Amino acid sequence: MIKVKSKPKENANTVRKKTRWKDFRDNAELSALMIPGIVLLLVFAYVPMLGIIIAFKDYRNNLGIFKSKWVGFQNFKFFFESQDAWRIGRNTVGYGILFIVIGLIAAVTIAILLYEVRSRKALKFYQTSMILPHFLSWVIVGYITYILLEPSMGILNKIIRFFGGEGLQWYSEPKYWVFILPIINVWKTVGLKSIMYYAALMGIDEQLFEAAQIDGAGRFKQILYITIPSLVPLMVTLTILDVGHIIKGDFGLFYTIPRDVGLLYPTTDIIDTYVYRGLRTGSDIGITTAVGLFQSAVGLVMVIATNLVVKKISPENSLF
């Protein structure tokens, strides 16, 4: 009797690899479209990571990266013991939390208001006018802000003087920028986020609202018990992503709008502007690289930690 040897069973990892390769081969044209994006990602995101080693060295231009003296964590220690650490750390995290809270409330509120608009022409006008600031560069927004706030000829100071008041020195008083920056940030970003939430609202079954009306629920209760719960998954996802950027502020906002005025650093200086000034002057490249590495590491940890918290409370709303 002849025994036929059976083929050894392939493990699950081998099967998955073969399936992925088959999918890639069967969709070769679509897969080829990923190549430019992958190359750009490698060149601009992964290759520059080799420069992380500068954070652990006393970098000197004449010696280069590899010949500069290794100092370990001295750059991190020097920064955290300096007077700048508390100021830029407070501003970066404080504004990040403020932007998330205000942005979430404003975007959801506007999305709900848009959902209540029945005129198609009015809806298109509102959506276009609110999303337009998103496509303006921070340089243009900076000039608009300067036209409004310029001490002698600014529009706001002219209005104040017209009513008998004295013009304010907007670019000399740091206290005003705690309010100016959040207002400008919301004005520029709320349009796109509100469109995202509005798109989610369009997927709600109208029968839910009809049933609520039959049960005697008013418009406010419908929003409270149908509209907002329907937005919770998207709210959680966008919030998790925003939490990862708490430690990474918007460089264009904090550098262009205050015009890099030294008097305003107590309330406008964040990690990104601090790192930029250090790299521009070239005097503390090791320290600024250490700050940038710390910033990226904290952002990654915060995204993972926030997702774990959401996963414990509401697993179906977690990001991964």
Side-chain angles (χ1 to χ4, degrees):
M1 183 176 180
I2 300 175
K3 293 183 178 180
V4 179
K5 294 183 178 180
S6 60
K7 293 182 179 180
K9 292 184 178 180
E10 296 178 330
N11 58 41
N13 290 332
T14 305
V15 174
R16 279 197 294 267
K17 288 179 180 179
K18 287 186 176 180
T19 303
R20 289 171 183 171
W21 170 246
K22 186 177 182 298
D23 291 338
F24 182 86
R25 186 183 57 193
D26 293 342
N27 300 280
E29 295 84 358
L30 294 176
S31 300
L33 295 176
M34 297 190 301
I35 295 176
I38 293 173
V39 172
L40 288 175
L41 187 65
L42 290 173
V43 172
F44 292 103
Y46 286 93
V47 174
M49 289 181 69
L50 296 173
I52 289 175
I53 194 175
I54 298 176
F56 305 95
K57 289 198 169 191
D58 182 15
Y59 180 77
R60 293 290 179 267
N61 290 325
N62 59 331
L63 297 176
I65 296 177
F66 298 104
K67 291 185 179 180
S68 296
K69 182 182 177 182
W70 181 272
V71 294
F73 290 95
Q74 287 299 315
N75 289 326
F76 295 89
K77 182 179 178 181
F78 181 84
F79 168 71
F80 287 113
E81 290 179 352
S82 68
Q83 296 178 350
D84 298 330
W86 163 248
R87 184 190 74 233
I88 67 174
R90 177 200 63 196
N91 290 342
T92 304
V93 176
Y95 280 119
I97 295 173
L98 189 63
F99 290 169
I100 289 176
V101 174
I102 296 177
L104 178 63
I105 295 173
V108 172
T109 302
I110 292 175
I112 293 173
L113 293 176
L114 289 176
Y115 190 70
E116 298 297 322
V117 176
R118 299 305 175 207
S119 172
R120 300 297 299 175
K121 290 183 178 179
L123 180 62
K124 289 181 180 180
F125 172 77
Y126 295 145
Q127 289 177 333
T128 303
S129 60
M130 284 188 297
I131 202 173
L132 181 62
H134 174 76
F135 298 101
L136 298 178
S137 71
W138 279 117
V139 175
I140 296 175
V141 177
Y143 279 116
I144 295 173
T145 306
Y146 189 70
I147 292 172
L148 293 172
L149 303 180
E150 201 276 329
S152 58
M153 300 298 292
I155 295 174
L156 288 182
N157 276 350
K158 283 187 176 181
I159 294 173
I160 293 172
R161 293 190 187 102
F162 178 80
F163 288 100
E166 295 183 2
L168 301 176
Q169 298 298 317
W170 302 101
Y171 290 94
S172 301
E173 295 290 339
K175 61 183 179 181
Y176 300 133
W177 292 86
V178 179
F179 305 97
I180 294 173
L181 291 174
I183 291 172
I184 294 174
N185 181 73
V186 169
W187 173 76
K188 193 173 188 302
T189 61
V190 73
L192 183 62
K193 288 186 177 180
S194 65
I195 297 300
M196 294 181 184
Y197 289 117
Y198 177 78
L201 291 176
M202 295 300 293
I204 301 177
D205 191 349
E206 288 291 336
Q207 293 182 355
L208 295 176
F209 294 104
E210 295 173 1
Q213 288 178 348
I214 294 174
D215 290 340
R219 205 60 196 167
F220 178 76
K221 287 190 175 181
Q222 292 177 33
I223 292 173
L224 190 62
Y225 295 106
I226 298 177
T227 305
I228 294 179
S230 300
L231 294 177
V232 167
L234 181 59
M235 290 165 63
V236 172
T237 300
L238 294 181
T239 301
I240 291 174
L241 296 176
D242 287 340
V243 166
H245 291 86
I246 281 182
I247 199 70
K248 182 176 175 59
D250 193 323
F251 175 79
L253 171 64
F254 289 95
Y255 184 81
T256 307
I257 304 304
R259 306 177 71 84
D260 196 30
V261 176
L263 291 173
L264 304 180
Y265 284 170
T267 56
T268 63
D269 198 19
I270 60 170
I271 292 178
D272 293 79
T273 54
Y274 177 85
V275 170
Y276 173 75
R277 285 198 306 274
L279 295 175
R280 185 180 62 184
T281 58
S283 57
D284 297 316
I285 293 180
I287 296 174
T288 51
T289 305
V291 175
L293 177 58
F294 169 76
Q295 181 185 35
S296 300
V298 172
L300 175 63
V301 171
M302 293 186 73
V303 168
I304 295 174
T306 306
N307 186 75
L308 288 175
V309 172
V310 174
K311 203 169 186 177
K312 289 289 184 181
I313 298 174
S314 180
E316 67 275 7
N317 292 325
S318 62
L319 186 61
F320 53 86

